[in-house]
Amino acid sequence: MTRDISDSEAERHRAKMVNRKVVQDAEVSEKTIEKGLLMINTGPGKGKSTAAFGLALRMLGTGRRVGIVQFIKGAWSTGEQGALALFGDRVEWRTMGEGFTWDTQDLKRDIAAASKAWEEAKVLMADETIGLVVLDELNIALRYDYLPLEEVLETLQNRREGLHVIVTGRNAKQPLIDAADMVTEMTLVKHHFKAGVKAQSGIEF
């Protein structure tokens, strides 16, 4: 049910929106730089990888190819992987992790898996047909010192012109945050897991 709006209220709203549009248009017109972005999704809240895969879908919608490297998650089947597989060779998906450290309980194995994933990431970043590379849970690999932060930073900062990269995972390192063009922190307000609800297909994976 909609409320009644008087002519004077409608006119005030129109005048307000006209002024708002002038300000917005002026701000947009000032932005002239176009470049490949380094983006980070971090924080304790849910949705970091999910948002990155949404960005991958947007990139695919523009006709460009996408590369995805999963540094930690093991080779279990996920809904997003199944969906993006429908795009065929327009998506290069690499699940390189063997699970979280509490699953493997083997530091040498975790470091070896992360190193292999990083080498694969560099291959995808060098592929000029790819417009976006998703480095899923790279922040976790850096947090546990599975990879040398300095090398990762140098490679990301010196990536080829025009390439967009998005890094996900909790506890992003400050030097990586400083180097990024955009950083989004997911804030945990409420999570069903705390109420005893298990991870469910189509929501968590």
Side-chain angles (χ1 to χ4, degrees), residues 34-70:
E34 186 171 343
K35 56 172 286 189
L37 299 174
L38 175 58
M39 299 162 281
I40 300 174
N41 289 346
T42 191
K46 177 178 167 56
K48 296 176 287 293
S49 296
T50 304
F53 294 136
L55 189 61
L57 185 61
R58 177 177 289 169
M59 184 65 68
L60 289 165
T62 69
R64 285 172 285 183
R65 299 182 72 233
V66 170
I68 298 168
V69 179
Q70 293 192 294

Side-chain angles (χ1 to χ4, degrees), residues 67-189:
I68 298 168
V69 179
Q70 293 192 294
F71 280 80
I72 302 297
K73 294 184 177 78
W76 61 77
S77 177
T78 62
E80 55 263 32
Q81 185 174 5
L84 291 174
L86 298 176
F87 287 90
D89 64 4
R90 291 179 59 199
V91 177
E92 297 290 343
W93 187 295
R94 307 283 187 268
T95 299
M96 309 295 292
E98 298 189 39
F100 290 95
T101 186
W102 54 81
D103 289 324
T104 64
Q105 301 174 12
D106 187 331
L107 181 59
K108 289 183 179 180
R109 179 173 156 187
D110 290 337
I111 291 174
S115 297
K116 187 175 180 181
W118 178 239
E119 292 304 314
E120 193 65 31
K122 288 191 287 186
V123 170
L124 293 180
M125 285 190 285
D127 186 337
E128 294 186 359
T129 70
I130 290 177
L132 170 72
V133 174
V134 178
L135 302 178
D136 189 37
E137 305 287 8
L138 173 59
N139 286 335
I140 304 298
L142 293 172
R143 175 189 179 188
Y144 288 115
D145 297 321
Y146 294 165
L147 296 168
L149 177 60
E150 296 77 12
E151 178 191 332
V152 171
L153 268 176
E154 181 180 1
T155 301
L156 292 176
Q157 290 176 313
N158 294 309
R159 67 192 184 282
R160 60 184 170 80
E161 185 177 354
L163 175 65
H164 302 292
V165 175
I166 185 162
V167 177
T168 75
R170 296 184 179 209
N171 303 111
K173 294 276 191 176
Q174 190 60 49
L176 187 58
I177 290 174
D178 294 340
D181 297 288
M182 182 178 75
V183 180
T184 299
E185 183 169 2
M186 307 293 192
T187 301
L188 177 62
V189 176

